[in-house]
């Protein structure tokens, strides 16, 4: 990275912190700090909803995934628009009219304090650990690719976000999210132009897409019904629907976004913005990953994108032979790609065969790296940052790093703010100090935000040493969403549901997902369906054991 | 009647939102179909 890149990154960080802190004056009341006085316009809330979901690892991982696996991942989002409609009909008006600060506060009104506390506790545990991984994952990648100090990177991302969230509350979170979304897409737009400029003069974007399409990288609809297949039309429509209902409807980090909207109508419109834009947005991000893949048809890609792993493997003499085979296979594939795009479509099969051979040599190289250095290493997240570092001009690197920071910070800020809100409202105010001034609760909210920020950075440091922790946390999230959604389904839909049914239904639902994850090979999107159905079924039958007129 | 009772003054009518939801469903079907056509065209 050159001086100009550093100037861009530092300017971005200073601006975001300043911009967030100046919201402090509007955040001195409880309603102001946690809910922005329910005054925000739909477009700001809508952008904040999308920014919260778009974390750095989503940005970096999605482009990497498109590079290795093509566009299949887009099916993950096919259930989202339908989830948004259901939420607009049910959750948005329910929560707005109930005048609540947290989603779980509503559950006390419907059931009892036990259900509220348990669901809020589940949220704090899963999100508290989750926010640590949201910080650690991009920090690991950036520190390896750019040679930065890992702990300094974690604190640069984590604490800069904590500072403006502590002072500005939800208003700072929302308005910085809006600006961060523009930075992310401006950065990606510039990136797209630079990638296209890197193609050979006689190869157009359409030619590039034909290349990618020949290798099955542009498959966006897989109609096979297979529970062991991660991304299909059905896992996206059904499993994705349940996941999105759980995430947008029951996770405080998202619920708090639409609670800040001016009215029920504005809350609905903010969610429907995602319904219209999310799939095209993900398509654009995946397209960048695919075009990086096309770029590397004409320019030699690193044998493995994670430079640390390559350095360890290079110490072994056998690696030189592997590298030589890899280079030969690359040259053959490049020639086949040029013939296919510039001479005749008849060369398509030659190109497919050359790619097969290239993949075999790469597979051998990756296997060798696994055996000699780290058997758990995953290259996907290193593709995009390595590409940026090695191929982007001065200034653009800084812009893309700022965009990755923006993606990380927009998610972290919303999570910290939601964690602080649940801590203050569901635990401190409900269980410890029900009567206090607004200023007192705002102070508790600020302290909670700061403590959660420090906690997240510490978790992030530990998560870097325990690779499997990230997997555990992600799985825990899947246990949580389906079951929590089940509790809200009981609350909204099942009139006969009682507090005891909801409480034990939630426990059974979480346990069932845990068992499914241990003893079956069902892919994680289906966990949300299982957790929700088991919670509703058990919740309903246990509720039948309670007298009809009691709570 | 029940629906009207649940609607707050100043909110757009249910008929309006039903049209919006219908537009979301149609748009999603069109987008997924377009993505499928995109895959087929370039494969």
């Amino acid at each position: 990275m050159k001086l100009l890149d550093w100037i861009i990154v530092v300017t971005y960080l200073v601006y975001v912190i300043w911009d967030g802190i100046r919201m402090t004056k509007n955040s001195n009341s409880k309603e102001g700090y946690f809910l922005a006085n329910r005054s925000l316009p739909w477009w700001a809330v809508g952008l904040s909803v999308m920014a919260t979901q778009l974390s750095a690892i989503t940005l970096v991982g999605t482009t990497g995934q498109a590079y290795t696996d093509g566009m299949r991942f887009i099916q993950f989002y096919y259930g989202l628009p339908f989830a948004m409609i259901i939420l607009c009909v049910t959750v948005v008006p329910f929560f707005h009219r109930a005048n609540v600060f947290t989603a779980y506060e509503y559950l006390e009104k419907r059931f009892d304090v036990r259900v509220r506390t348990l669901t809020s506790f589940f949220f704090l545990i899963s999100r508290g650990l989750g926010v640590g991984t949201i910080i650690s994952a991009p920090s690991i990648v950036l520190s390896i690719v750019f040679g930065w100090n890992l702990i300094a990177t974690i604190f640069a991302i984590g604490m800069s976000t904590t500072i403006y969230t502590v002072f500005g509350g939800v208003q700072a979170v929302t308005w910085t999210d809006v600006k961060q979304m523009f930075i992310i897409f401006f950065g990606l737009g510039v990136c797209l132009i630079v990638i296209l400029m890197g193609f050979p003069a006689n190869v157009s974007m359409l030619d590039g897409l034909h290349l990618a399409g020949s290798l099955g990288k542009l498959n966006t609809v897989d109609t096979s019904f297979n529970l062991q297949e991660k991304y299909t039309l059905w896992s996206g429509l059904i499993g994705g629907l349940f996941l999105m209902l759980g995430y947008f409807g029951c996770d405080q980090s998202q619920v708090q976004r639409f609670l800040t909207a001016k009215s029920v109508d504005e809350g609905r419109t903010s969610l429907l913005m995602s319904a219209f834009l999310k799939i095209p947005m993900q398509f654009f991000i995946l397209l960048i990953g695919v075009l990086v893949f096309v770029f590397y048809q004409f320019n030699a890609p690193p044998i493995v994108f994670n430079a640390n792993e390559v350095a360890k493997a290079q110490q072994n003499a056998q690696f030189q032979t592997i590298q030589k085979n890899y280079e030969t296979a690359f040259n053959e594939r490049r020639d086949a790609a040029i013939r296919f795009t510039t001479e005749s479509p008849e060369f398509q099969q030659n190109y497919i065969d050359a790619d097969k051979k290239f993949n075999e040599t790469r597979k051998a190289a990756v296997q060798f790296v696994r055996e000699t250095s780290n058997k758990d290493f995953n290259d996907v997240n290193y593709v995009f940052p390595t590409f940026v570092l090695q191929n982007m001009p001065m200034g653009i690197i800084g812009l893309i790093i700022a965009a990755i920071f923006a993606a990380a910070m927009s998610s972290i800020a919303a999570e910290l703010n939601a964690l602080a809100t649940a801590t203050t409202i569901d635990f401190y105010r409900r269980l410890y100090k029900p009567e206090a001034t607004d200023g007192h609760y705002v102070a508790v909210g600020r302290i909670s935000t700061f403590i959660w920020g420090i906690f997240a950075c510490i978790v992030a440091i530990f998560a870097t040493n325990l690779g499997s922790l990230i997997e555990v946390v992600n799985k825990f999230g899947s246990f949580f969403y389906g079951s929590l959604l089940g509790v809200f389904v009981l609350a909204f839909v099942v009139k006969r549901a009682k507090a005891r049914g909801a409480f034990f239904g939630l426990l059974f639902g979480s346990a069932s997902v845990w068992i499914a994850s241990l003893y079956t090979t069902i892919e994680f999107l289906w966990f949300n369906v299982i957790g929700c159905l088991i919670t509703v079924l058990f919740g309903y039958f246990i509720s039948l054991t309670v007298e009809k007129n009691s709570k | 009647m029940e629906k009207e009772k649940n609607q707050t003054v100043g909110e757009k009518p249910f008929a309006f939102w039903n049209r919006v939801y219908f537009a979301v469903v149609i748009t999603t079907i069109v987008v997924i179909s377009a993505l499928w056509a995109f895959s087929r065209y370039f494969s």
Side-chain angles (χ1 to χ4, degrees), chain A residues 484-497:
Chain A
L484 193 52
L485 176 63
V487 175
F488 279 94
V489 170
L490 286 169
F492 292 138
V493 181
V494 185
K495 278 191 178 165
R496 185 72 177 77

Side-chain angles (χ1 to χ4, degrees), chain A residues 78-87 237 241, chain B residues 24-25 28-29 32:
Chain A
Y78 285 171
L80 185 144
F82 304 104
M84 292 309 194
I85 293 174
I86 295 169
L87 295 175
L237 282 176
L241 173 75
Chain B
V24 172
V25 172
T28 306
I29 293 169
I32 295 175

Side-chain angles (χ1 to χ4, degrees), chain A residues 81 88 97 213 218 220 265, chain B residues 6 8 11-12 17 35 39 42:
Chain A
C88 285
R97 288 171 194 144
L218 300 183
T220 53
D265 278 358
Chain B
N6 287 337
T8 310
E11 277 179 37
K12 290 195 176 76
W17 286 110
L35 286 169
S39 309
F42 286 107

Side-chain angles (χ1 to χ4, degrees), chain A residues 364-375:
Chain A
V366 169
Q367 187 59 31
F368 183 79
V369 171
R370 283 217 167 93
E371 282 164 12
T372 51
S373 53
N374 177 8
K375 65 178 163 53

Side-chain angles (χ1 to χ4, degrees), chain A residues 365-551:
Chain A
V366 169
Q367 187 59 31
F368 183 79
V369 171
R370 283 217 167 93
E371 282 164 12
T372 51
S373 53
N374 177 8
K375 65 178 163 53
D376 292 327
F377 104 99
N378 182 350
D379 214 28
V380 171
N381 293 333
Y382 296 87
V383 174
F384 187 63
T386 305
F387 165 77
V388 168
L389 180 70
Q390 293 179 351
N391 299 288
M392 290 284 158
M394 186 174 65
I396 306 297
I397 295 178
L399 181 66
I400 308 261
I401 298 300
I404 294 173
F405 269 41
M409 292 165 83
S410 60
S411 302
I412 297 161
E415 305 290 2
L416 291 179
N417 190 238
L419 287 166
T421 307
T423 308
T424 309
I425 303 294
D426 290 332
F427 289 90
Y428 185 81
R429 189 180 74 162
R430 177 65 184 82
L431 303 175
Y432 181 67
K433 202 160 189 174
E435 301 294 333
T437 61
D438 267 16
H440 181 80
Y441 290 126
V442 171
V444 173
R446 289 197 164 121
I447 294 165
S448 305
T449 308
F450 185 75
I451 292 171
W452 278 115
I454 297 283
F455 176 81
C457 288
I458 293 169
V459 170
I461 292 169
F462 281 104
T464 59
N465 296 325
L466 299 167
S468 60
L469 185 66
I470 293 171
E471 201 180 323
V472 170
V473 170
N474 286 339
K475 272 190 179 170
F476 196 82
S478 297
F479 302 159
F480 165 75
Y481 285 130
S483 313
L484 193 52
L485 176 63
V487 175
F488 279 94
V489 170
L490 286 169
F492 292 138
V493 181
V494 185
K495 278 191 178 165
R496 185 72 177 77
K498 304 290 177 194
R500 190 198 293 167
F503 184 80
F504 287 104
L506 177 60
L507 293 178
F508 279 118
S510 304
S512 68
V513 175
W514 193 282
I515 291 165
S517 76
L518 286 178
Y519 299 107
T520 70
T521 52
I522 296 171
E523 277 298 341
F524 81 100
L525 271 173
W526 295 102
F527 289 170
N528 300 285
V529 183
I530 295 168
C532 180
L533 293 180
I534 297 288
T535 303
V536 172
L537 277 176
F538 275 85
Y540 178 72
F541 285 118
I542 294 169
S543 295
L544 293 179
T545 65
V546 182
E547 272 182 49
K548 207 169 184 179
N549 295 329
S550 72
K551 205 174 180 186

Side-chain angles (χ1 to χ4, degrees), chain A residues 71 74 78 81-82 85 88-89 97 206 209-210 213-214 218-221 264-265 268-269 272 275-276 279 283, chain B residues 6-8 10-12 14 17 20-25 27-29 31-32 35-39 41-43:
Chain A
M71 287 189 150
I74 199 168
Y78 285 171
F82 304 104
I85 293 174
C88 285
V89 173
R97 288 171 194 144
L206 288 181
L209 290 175
H210 275 295
S214 307
L218 300 183
N219 289 346
T220 53
V221 179
V264 174
D265 278 358
R268 281 184 176 130
T269 316
L272 292 176
F276 281 111
I279 296 175
F283 174 79
Chain B
N6 287 337
Q7 197 174 340
T8 310
E11 277 179 37
K12 290 195 176 76
F14 284 107
W17 286 110
V20 174
Y21 301 148
F22 184 68
V24 172
V25 172
T27 308
T28 306
I29 293 169
V31 167
I32 295 175
L35 286 169
W36 175 79
F38 170 82
S39 309
Y41 178 76
F42 286 107
S43 63

